[in-house]
Amino acid sequence: MGVEPASPGGVEVGREPSGLYPVVLLPGSSCSQIEVRLTDAYEPPSPVCEARKGDGRWSLLYKNIIAPDAQVPCFADQLRLVYDGDYHNARGVETRALSFGSTRGFLANEPADRELCMGKLVEALEREGYRDGESLFGAPYDFRHAPAAEGQPNMELSRFRQNLRALVERASMANGRRPAVLVSHSQGGYFAMDFLRRSPLSWRRRFVKHHVMASTGAGGFVVSMQFFASTTGDSSSSSSPSPATAMSLPSVGGTLPSRFTALPSPVAFGDDTPLAVTRNKSYAARDMPAFLAAAGLPPDMVRLYETRELPVALNLGAPLVPVTCINGVGVPTTEMLLYRDGLDGAPEVAYGDGDGVVNLASIVALDKVIGGDPRQEYYRSVRIANMSHRGVVSDPVALRRLVGEILAATHAEDTRVM
């Protein structure tokens, strides 16, 4: 079960319009909270996991910081995904993103989470007169999933697109029929781009004023490769898992398609630039399938990457609505992984430019992928010096720039590519 539609009461269509263009926020990876409901069909791995089976109630699955550690196996079993032609939950497990339509569902249990998960941005927009559920809306999503290639079944993303389209339309109606500004951060940018490119062009032009995309590149980032080299076949951990960290367990993370989303793509890194190097082999962006196999990924999972996720990265394109991309640069960012022998153990790291997560090459590639499309009427790239991935949505200097770009987008009439 996926994201449930926003309730009609979540957007007050009958009230007086605010005079603002509605803003819809899509947060980064792990910022959406996920609820679970267990049906009678659920087969728990342990009797302790049966407590809520069949009671019809929703409870917090991620990020649950109060459940006892004894329930880690329960959380791991309910967070994992199963693939049988499409990705879905285990039998008897229903999930949904918490508070779809509102920014209140974004993860904000701890100060660090609030900074990463657009909490500071929400506060800044509220100072400009925006109000949650009136002119400001949230589109949390199940970040375990990922966009898939055309023709591949993807029920979770289909539901999300349907619900987001309905939310944007209701937000527009509640604000004098003004089109909405989509604002995304990090992984939210991939979900927003997938949503826009799969929505009818006439709909986009009617309901989407602008897409402001923060901390997202056009071709993944190198540090994502470490996940595969460090976790396949290795279930050890430096600390005991808790329900709040169950998502990071190999038994969970190894089942999620979203782990492939940020792998480096030739779109940004070219075919031959070495990104991971061992004593006998080097791996460039075009060698990702070989890298995954060398890291111990089963052949069927490598094929899934090649058929579902890789085509998305290779065919990332302009959304044909006005776009402003905002990224940090000038922060040491993993550019190459150097392994002594095979892909075992911690690598030495060579650093380059970027935002600490996304490489400069991936940021620059946006200029070609989006700005270089002659059909893209407006494109603007803003790079903030010495600004981190998280800082773009939390640092006071970056926030002023980001909010300024959002407000400018609501007034923009110019359609020139910049």
Side-chain angles (χ1 to χ4, degrees), residues 23-27 103-104 106 113-130 136-137 181-185 212-214 326 390-396 398-407:
V23 168
V24 180
L25 304 183
L26 287 82
T103 63
R104 306 307 185 206
F106 296 177
D113 290 333
R114 187 159 181 78
E115 285 193 2
L116 178 63
C117 299
M118 290 182 152
K120 297 290 186 181
L121 176 58
V122 169
E123 292 171 359
L125 289 171
E126 288 176 340
R127 288 193 293 270
E128 297 294 333
Y130 279 89
L136 180 63
F137 306 90
V181 176
L182 302 184
V183 181
S184 62
H185 180 241
V212 178
M213 186 165 68
I326 303 180
R390 175 196 299 258
V392 170
V393 292
S394 62
D395 180 89
L399 272 177
R400 284 194 294 271
R401 189 64 186 270
L402 178 56
V403 172
E405 294 293 337
I406 294 170
L407 297 178

Side-chain angles (χ1 to χ4, degrees), residues 90-111:
R91 186 169 179 261
V93 177
E94 298 178 346
T95 54
R96 68 181 183 184
L98 177 66
S99 300
F100 185 80
S102 170
T103 63
R104 306 307 185 206
F106 296 177
L107 193 60
N109 294 325
E110 302 170 5

Side-chain angles (χ1 to χ4, degrees), residues 16 19 71 78 95 171 180 183 185 218 238 248 270 313 333 360 362 380 402:
E16 188 69 21
Q71 293 187 12
Q78 294 160 28
T95 54
V183 181
H185 180 241
S238 59
S248 64
T333 303
L360 180 61
S362 194
R380 176 177 170 82
L402 178 56

Side-chain angles (χ1 to χ4, degrees), residues 152-165:
Q152 291 282 345
N154 198 347
M155 185 60 69
E156 180 63 33
L157 268 288
S158 296
R159 281 191 289 253
F160 174 76
R161 290 193 298 267
Q162 179 181 357
N163 293 331
L164 180 52
R165 192 170 298 128

Side-chain angles (χ1 to χ4, degrees), residues 37-325:
R37 181 169 63 186
L38 304 176
T39 73
D40 289 330
Y42 179 57
E43 299 177 0
S46 165
V48 74
C49 306
E50 289 187 307
R52 291 186 173 273
K53 178 179 175 180
D55 69 3
R57 293 184 293 172
W58 292 95
S59 61
L60 187 61
L61 180 62
Y62 179 90
K63 183 179 180 183
N64 193 317
I65 62 174
I66 62 172
D69 290 351
Q71 293 187 12
V72 167
C74 313
F75 281 78
D77 187 60
Q78 294 160 28
L79 283 166
R80 68 184 175 91
L81 294 179
V82 177
Y83 182 81
D84 60 3
D86 193 6
Y87 285 97
H88 57 82
N89 294 315
R91 186 169 179 261
V93 177
E94 298 178 346
T95 54
R96 68 181 183 184
L98 177 66
S99 300
F100 185 80
S102 170
T103 63
R104 306 307 185 206
F106 296 177
L107 193 60
N109 294 325
E110 302 170 5
D113 290 333
R114 187 159 181 78
E115 285 193 2
L116 178 63
C117 299
M118 290 182 152
K120 297 290 186 181
L121 176 58
V122 169
E123 292 171 359
L125 289 171
E126 288 176 340
R127 288 193 293 270
E128 297 294 333
Y130 279 89
R131 295 292 177 265
D132 189 84
E134 297 179 5
S135 50
L136 180 63
F137 306 90
Y141 52 87
D142 191 333
F143 57 88
R144 298 175 300 165
H145 293 266
E150 292 281 353
Q152 291 282 345
N154 198 347
M155 185 60 69
E156 180 63 33
L157 268 288
S158 296
R159 281 191 289 253
F160 174 76
R161 290 193 298 267
Q162 179 181 357
N163 293 331
L164 180 52
R165 192 170 298 128
L167 174 63
V168 169
E169 290 176 3
R170 288 195 291 269
S172 173
M173 293 296 293
N175 288 274
R177 297 183 177 271
R178 296 179 182 87
V181 176
L182 302 184
V183 181
S184 62
H185 180 241
S186 194
Q187 186 187 14
Y190 295 116
F191 276 70
M193 291 283 282
D194 178 74
F195 166 71
L196 289 169
R197 295 194 69 203
R198 290 177 181 262
S199 296
L201 183 57
S202 59
W203 186 91
R204 282 177 264 171
R205 289 176 171 168
R206 163 64 183 86
F207 287 103
V208 180
K209 175 72 170 174
H210 210 102
H211 178 201
V212 178
M213 186 165 68
S215 301
T216 304
F221 42 86
V222 176
V223 74
S224 65
M225 298 170 69
Q226 276 190 263
F227 170 85
F228 295 92
S230 63
T231 61
T232 47
D234 180 10
S235 59
S236 62
S237 174
S238 59
S239 60
S240 299
S242 69
T245 61
M247 190 80 75
S248 64
L249 292 171
S251 62
V252 178
T255 70
L256 309 183
S258 57
R259 62 187 170 145
F260 296 115
T261 300
L263 281 173
S265 160
V267 170
F269 295 92
D271 286 334
D272 301 314
T273 303
L275 305 178
V277 178
T278 69
R279 180 173 296 179
N280 300 314
K281 176 75 173 176
S282 67
Y283 300 92
R286 67 176 175 180
D287 303 317
M288 282 304 109
F291 171 81
L292 295 173
L297 212 66
D300 59 333
M301 297 303 293
V302 176
R303 284 193 296 272
L304 272 179
Y305 163 69
E306 292 180 290
T307 56
R308 284 182 67 92
E309 275 74 40
L310 180 57
V312 175
L314 295 177
N315 294 295
L316 188 69
L320 307 187
V321 300
V323 173
T324 298
C325 295

